[in-house]
Amino acid sequence: MPFVIDVNPVLVQLGPVAIRWYGLALIAAVAVAYLIARRGTRRAGIPDAVLADGAIWVGLAALIGGRMLFEIQNDLPMLSVDPMHALMVWDGGLSFLGGLIAALAVLAIYCRRNGLSVGIVADAAAPAAAIGQAIGHFGCIITGDSSGIPTTLPWAFVYRNPAAMAPHDIALQPTQAYEAIALVGLFAILWLGRERLAHFGAGAPAGVYLVGVAVIRFSLFFLRDEAPVFAGLKTAQILSVGIGAAGALVLFVLVTRRANTPRLA
């Protein structure tokens, strides 16, 4: 029996201000991610003020990058009619990979300008990003954003609310739920295995995170109704290959370096 979702994406309308489930999920995701990241940066001796300042810049970069790629992929015709539509983040519509790429670039710049190790900071951010993404996907579930292809599976999602972003009254693959579950699993690997990963050096947890999210996104986009752009692959899958390769390269360098480092008897 499919799960019927008939929830208005707007939780409360206060005059011209709409309190949306998607926005609340983003706020919760950012709050939890910040607390998790703070655990890691405190262990590394990084002041909270430095983390808070960096989180603002990285968060803005993720928001802008995620929205830009989503608009390029999905709403170019709408932008030609109403350019301000690009600012309507509260309606849903963020590309995770666009946000990740922008966030990584700004993170590297911020670390270098403040004399911080990119690897150490990225390691603190990795589990935070994984759990933050998982929480954010609950907003996607309610709004119908990032829904999958039609299916006959008994655990499909069926959207009934007229304001939902997904097609109405069609059983769809619950790709948002799949991704949230997979990200919780990735968070568990990073969090529970952080001491073991630390033995390989700064950057190991970040490398595992990049490989993990790349595998998750690449796999799930076979269940997303988006047009292929090259060799039968969709835009997100092509980007995932690049991100996964970057993570694998980081891990390869760290493992090779550790193997070639003389050990004291």
Side-chain angles (χ1 to χ4, degrees):
M1 186 70 178
F3 294 94
V4 176
I5 301 177
D6 189 3
V7 180
N8 192 327
V10 176
L11 175 62
V12 180
Q13 185 77 40
L14 302 174
V17 179
I19 308 299
R20 299 172 183 269
W21 288 105
Y22 193 87
L24 292 178
L26 285 179
I27 292 172
V30 169
V32 173
Y34 177 80
L35 293 175
I36 294 295
R38 191 175 66 178
R39 292 279 298 271
T41 53
R42 282 182 172 178
R43 292 179 64 188
I46 298 173
D48 289 353
V50 175
L51 169 63
D53 189 32
I56 293 173
W57 289 108
V58 172
L60 286 174
L63 189 64
I64 295 171
R67 187 61 177 176
M68 284 180 61
L69 185 55
F70 180 87
E71 290 293 303
I72 291 171
Q73 288 180 283
N74 300 278
D75 286 336
L76 278 180
M78 174 65 75
L79 289 179
S80 63
V81 177
D82 181 15
M84 295 302 292
H85 185 264
L87 303 178
M88 299 178 183
V89 179
W90 51 86
D91 280 339
L94 293 173
S95 167
F96 159 69
L97 293 178
L100 176 61
I101 294 170
L104 287 174
V106 171
L107 176 67
I109 294 171
Y110 183 82
C111 287
R112 294 196 177 279
R113 287 188 174 180
N114 288 273
L116 302 173
S117 165
V118 175
I120 290 175
V121 176
D123 288 346
I131 195 62
Q133 291 168 246
I135 295 171
H137 272 72
F138 284 99
C140 296
I141 290 174
I142 294 175
T143 62
D145 187 17
S146 305
S147 56
I149 58 177
T151 182
T152 58
L153 291 172
W155 55 81
F157 286 170
V158 176
Y159 288 89
R160 293 274 170 80
N161 194 280
M165 297 177 67
H168 303 153
D169 295 315
I170 299 175
L172 303 171
Q173 285 276 8
T175 48
Q176 312 99 315
Y178 295 157
E179 189 158 2
I181 293 169
L183 287 166
V184 169
L186 179 59
F187 166 75
I189 292 171
L190 293 169
W191 189 252
L192 298 177
R194 61 189 184 279
E195 298 294 342
R196 182 171 297 181
L197 288 171
H199 293 158
F200 292 94
V208 171
Y209 168 78
L210 292 176
V211 172
V213 295
V215 170
I216 292 170
R217 299 291 287 185
F218 186 89
S219 303
L220 286 180
F221 263 78
F222 285 112
L223 302 178
R224 294 277 295 275
D225 187 17
E226 296 184 16
V229 295
F230 178 75
L233 299 177
K234 299 162 186 176
T235 301
Q237 291 175 310
I238 295 172
L239 292 175
S240 293
V241 171
I243 290 171
L249 178 61
V250 170
L251 294 175
F252 175 78
V253 170
L254 291 174
V255 170
T256 302
R257 182 184 300 167
R258 187 169 187 262
N260 293 333
T261 300
R263 301 184 181 181
L264 297 177

